[in-house]
Amino acid sequence: MKQNLFNYNDEDIDSVVNYSHKLLNRKFAEVMEEYNRSLYKTYEDYQNQEAKEYEKKEIKPSSKGQYGNYIERYYYGYQPNSNAAADFEKIGVELKVTPFKVNKNGTISAKERLVLTIINYFEENLDDFYQTHLWQKCSKILLLFYNGLIPENTVFDYMIEKVFLFEWFEEDMNVILDDFARITQKIKEGRAHELSESDGNYLSTCTKGAGNEKDWRSQPFSDELAKQRAWELKPSYMTYLINHKIFNQSDQESVLSSFRGNKKSFTEVIAEKILSYKGLSEQELYDRFEVNPKAKGKNSTLIRKILGLTGDLDRTREFQKANMNLRVIRVNKEGLPSEDSPFKVYDFIELAQNDNWEESHVFQEICNKRYMFVVFKEVESGEYVLSQVKFWGFPERLVDEAKRVWNETRTIINEGVQLTQTKKGVVTNFPQSKVNKFLFTKIHATNSYYEIEKDVFVGKGKLSDTNPLPDGRRITKHSFWIPKKFLKDILDGKWD
C-alpha cells in the first residue's frame, strides 16, 4: 500500500502547495494516526525508501503552542529549525502555521503577529531590504491558518482551515520599505535598544526569547545592550490579509487609489495632500470642503474629504493594515493642546478580569496602534490654522509604564473604587495626570453620574452615562487619556 504521508516534491512549489491542501480540515489526531501507521518517519527516509527507527515522543494534549512544530515534523517530515534558509530551501518557501480567531461579533482576526525571523544586528543588511536575511528566508511564505481560540480544544483537535501562498503584495511594498528604513535607521544610530513594535505600519519588530537575561544582544553602533528582536508582520496587517485576501476577497477603499504609480508610502502621500492646505483656517477648510462645522465628527469628515475618500479613513486598506487611528488636535500658540486626548471607553469588569497584557484594552487600543495627528494651531484668539501632520506610535521605552498604569487601574477596580463627595462633585481614587504623566484614566462622558450607595445616584448624568463595577455599583464611564503636556512632547518630536 502506497504511503501518502510525505508524498510531495520539495523541488516543486506546486507539489508542496497541493500536498498542503490535503491537510485541510483534518484534525491533528488524524495526522498523528497516519504518522504512526506510516513506514517512513521523515521526508528524507520516504525519498530514500529507507525505514528507520526513531524514539517515539509523547505529545501532550495541552501543548497547543507546539502545533506548528508538530505539523512540520509529522506532516512535512522535517525537524523544526532556526536555519538561515527557508524551510523548503530548494524553492525558497518558508512555512508558517499561524492562528486566527473568531470574535464575539462573528468577524475574523489574526490571533497574533506573524513572527518571521530573528534580527542579527551585526549581520543584517541595513540598507537593502531585498538583500536581507529576512528576504532570503521569507520572500515566499506558505501560510497555514487554524482557529486558535476554541477554549475546549486540545492540540489534537486543531485543524488547518486555510492554505495560502503569501508573496509580498506589490501594493504594500512602498509602506514596507518605509517601515524597514525607519527601523534600520534606529539600528544605525545605535538605538536598537529603543526599537518598538510601534515603529512600523505593516512590517515591524517584536521581542523574541524566554524573557530573561539571555535575551539581550550587543549592537554594532552602541555599547548599550538591546533586546533580541525578530522581524514581524503586525497583527493588524495579518487581520487585513485574512479578511480581504485570504478568507474573503472583498475590496476596500484605498488612500492610494488616486495616486497610482506613485512610489511614496501612504503616510507620505497623506501628509503631502493634507499639508497642501497648510495655513488655512478651520473655517476656510470647512467652507471649501462643505463640512458642517457643528456636526459631530466634523474633523474626520474634513480629513476624509481632503483625501478624496467616500468612506471613513479608519476603514481604508492602509489604515486597517497599519492599525492606525486619526486624531485631530488643537494647540495654542505655544503648541500646548487644548485638552487631554482620550481613547475608547473601557469596560470596568472586563478590564479587571483580563490579566493577559497582550489581550488587554491598554495594549490593543493604545500600545499596539499607530496614530496620525493632524494639528491645528492657534494664530489669534479662537482662530486655528492647519499646521502639522505627525505619525507616531507608543515607543518601547514607555510600554512598561503603560503596563504599570493598566495594572494599577485593575487593582483599584478589583479592590473597590473609592468615591468621595466634594463641593465640586464626586472624585475617585484613580491617579490623575499629575501622577501618571504619560497615561491616566478619568471619566469619558459629558455629565457624571455615580452610585454612591445602592440605588442612590449623584450627578447631572443618567444611567446610560455609566458602566457597572465588579461590586455592582455603577459609575461614570471611564477611558484612558494621554495628558496634554505629554501630547505636546509627542508633537514636538521628543518621543520619536
Side-chain angles (χ1 to χ4, degrees):
M1 181 176 171
K2 185 177 179 181
Q3 175 177 318
N4 291 317
L5 198 64
F6 314 138
N7 184 17
Y8 66 92
N9 180 359
D10 68 352
E11 297 180 1
D12 183 338
I13 194 167
D14 290 333
S15 176
V16 173
V17 172
N18 290 337
Y19 177 74
S20 301
H21 276 93
K22 295 177 182 178
L23 185 57
L24 287 172
N25 302 316
R26 293 181 62 193
K27 289 187 176 182
F28 181 58
E30 297 175 38
V31 175
M32 286 307 302
E33 287 174 9
E34 184 176 12
Y35 177 84
N36 290 330
R37 290 195 310 265
S38 66
L39 181 61
Y40 307 106
K41 301 299 184 184
T42 70
Y43 177 78
E44 183 179 6
D45 290 353
Y46 177 79
Q47 293 299 307
N48 295 331
Q49 295 293 289
E50 183 179 355
K52 295 180 181 179
E53 292 292 328
Y54 293 91
E55 179 184 355
K56 190 172 183 178
K57 296 184 179 180
E58 180 188 2
I59 297 177
K60 295 180 179 179
S62 60
S63 59
K64 294 189 284 188
Q66 294 297 310
Y67 181 51
N69 290 337
Y70 294 155
I71 290 295
E72 293 179 13
R73 176 177 297 166
Y74 299 115
Y75 189 72
Y76 290 95
Y78 66 84
Q79 292 293 321
N81 60 74
S82 55
N83 295 345
D87 292 322
F88 298 103
E89 185 174 1
K90 296 172 185 175
I91 53 174
V93 173
E94 179 74 359
L95 179 69
K96 295 289 182 184
V97 181
T98 186
F100 66 88
K101 61 181 179 179
V102 179
N103 303 306
K104 292 178 180 178
N105 61 3
T107 60
I108 299 175
S109 61
K111 188 172 181 289
E112 57 194 37
R113 60 186 67 83
L114 185 70
V115 179
L116 300 174
T117 187
I118 297 290
I119 302 172
N120 186 312
Y121 296 123
F122 284 88
E123 296 181 5
E124 186 62 285
N125 188 311
L126 302 179
D127 299 306
D128 186 345
F129 176 80
Y130 296 105
Q131 297 299 319
T132 59
H133 167 238
L134 165 63
W135 187 254
Q136 175 191 346
K137 187 176 178 68
C138 298
S139 60
K140 295 185 184 72
I141 307 172
L142 184 59
L143 296 171
L144 307 184
F145 289 92
Y146 68 97
N147 189 337
L149 201 63
I150 303 177
E152 65 274 13
N153 271 10
T154 71
V155 69
F156 293 109
D157 298 311
Y158 280 164
M159 65 175 68
I160 300 301
E161 297 189 29
K162 202 74 175 178
V163 174
F164 186 81
L165 182 63
F166 173 79
E167 298 180 77
W168 303 60
F169 293 102
E170 184 62 32
E171 68 191 57
D172 297 335
M173 288 313 299
N174 286 341
V175 177
I176 286 168
L177 293 175
D178 188 54
D179 291 339
F180 173 78
R182 189 182 308 110
I183 292 163
T184 54
Q185 185 60 35
K186 274 191 173 182
I187 299 174
K188 292 176 187 178
E189 293 172 355
R191 299 167 58 206
H193 55 285
E194 294 182 8
L195 288 175
S196 168
E197 194 164 18
S198 65
D199 289 329
N201 291 305
Y202 302 170
L203 175 74
S204 197
T205 70
C206 60
T207 55
K208 186 70 174 172
N212 53 43
E213 293 182 3
K214 294 180 180 179
D215 296 335
W216 294 92
R217 298 289 181 266
S218 300
Q219 56 174 309
F221 305 108
S222 171
D223 293 330
E224 190 158 350
L225 293 177
K227 286 182 180 179
Q228 176 174 272
R229 302 187 77 87
W231 292 109
E232 64 159 46
L233 289 174
K234 298 183 72 172
S236 53
Y237 183 77
M238 292 304 298
T239 293
Y240 182 88
L241 293 189
I242 284 171
N243 282 290
H244 302 285
K245 299 289 187 181
I246 299 172
F247 280 77
N248 299 306
Q249 297 296 321
S250 61
D251 205 1
Q252 283 186 303
E253 195 169 14
S254 169
V255 172
L256 298 175
S257 60
S258 301
F259 303 90
R260 295 300 182 199
N262 196 315
K263 294 299 182 183
K264 295 176 180 177
S265 70
F266 83 91
T267 53
E268 293 174 304
V269 168
I270 286 174
E272 287 184 8
K273 183 67 175 175
I274 293 174
L275 291 177
S276 66
Y277 299 98
K278 185 175 181 179
L280 293 184
S281 70
E282 289 173 314
Q283 191 58 53
E284 287 174 319
L285 288 169
Y286 293 148
D287 291 342
R288 177 173 295 199
F289 290 97
E290 298 181 343
V291 175
N292 182 354
K294 296 181 180 179
K296 187 177 181 180
K298 60 183 181 293
N299 289 323
S300 59
T301 301
L302 173 63
I303 302 305
R304 170 175 67 77
K305 288 194 170 186
I306 288 176
L307 295 173
L309 299 170
T310 59
D312 289 341
L313 183 61
D314 287 353
R315 303 301 301 172
T316 60
R317 297 179 200 168
E318 294 83 6
F319 263 57
Q320 288 206 330
K321 291 173 188 174
N323 199 20
M324 192 170 285
N325 177 248
L326 168 67
R327 296 193 168 232
V328 180
I329 306 292
R330 275 183 168 187
V331 301
N332 64 16
K333 295 177 183 178
E334 287 72 44
L336 181 69
S338 56
E339 56 188 8
D340 304 320
S341 186
F343 296 96
K344 289 181 180 179
V345 169
Y346 59 76
D347 182 295
F348 295 113
I349 296 174
E350 191 279 333
L351 189 78
Q353 292 178 347
N354 182 7
D355 60 359
N356 185 316
W357 166 239
E358 290 206 355
E359 293 180 2
S360 72
H361 176 93
V362 173
F363 183 83
Q364 294 287 342
E365 294 296 331
I366 302 173
C367 297
N368 200 35
K369 282 188 180 289
R370 294 274 296 167
Y371 300 93
M372 183 178 92
F373 296 108
V374 178
V375 181
F376 285 85
K377 189 169 185 178
E378 187 178 29
V379 288
E380 293 183 15
S381 180
E383 183 178 351
Y384 294 81
V385 300
L386 181 59
S387 168
Q388 179 187 5
V389 173
K390 184 174 183 65
F391 296 92
W392 183 81
F394 235 80
E396 188 76 17
R397 60 191 188 276
L398 278 180
V399 171
D400 284 346
E401 173 61 13
K403 189 174 183 179
R404 184 197 67 76
V405 172
W406 168 67
N407 274 318
E408 175 184 68
T409 306
R410 293 180 64 243
T411 298
I412 291 171
I413 294 171
N414 279 317
E415 291 181 352
V417 178
Q418 297 173 20
L419 303 179
T420 304
Q421 282 188 273
T422 69
K423 292 180 180 180
K424 295 182 178 181
V426 176
V427 297
T428 69
N429 58 324
F430 291 120
Q432 295 301 290
S433 59
K434 289 183 179 179
V435 177
N436 291 340
K437 299 182 184 299
F438 304 116
L439 186 71
F440 73 107
T441 187
K442 68 174 181 178
I443 67 169
H444 193 138
T446 304
N447 295 308
S448 64
Y449 204 50
Y450 290 93
E451 189 175 11
I452 55 172
E453 56 183 85
K454 187 169 176 55
D455 298 327
V456 178
F457 288 84
V458 297
K460 296 180 179 180
K462 49 188 182 295
L463 203 61
S464 60
D465 293 319
T466 70
N467 273 331
L469 292 168
D471 60 18
R473 293 178 297 163
R474 301 188 71 94
I475 66 172
T476 313
K477 293 176 180 178
H478 278 57
S479 66
F480 290 98
W481 298 65
I482 294 179
K484 58 186 179 182
K485 290 182 179 179
F486 175 48
L487 185 53
K488 180 181 185 302
D489 288 344
I490 293 172
L491 298 177
D492 288 345
K494 294 181 181 179
W495 288 96
D496 289 354

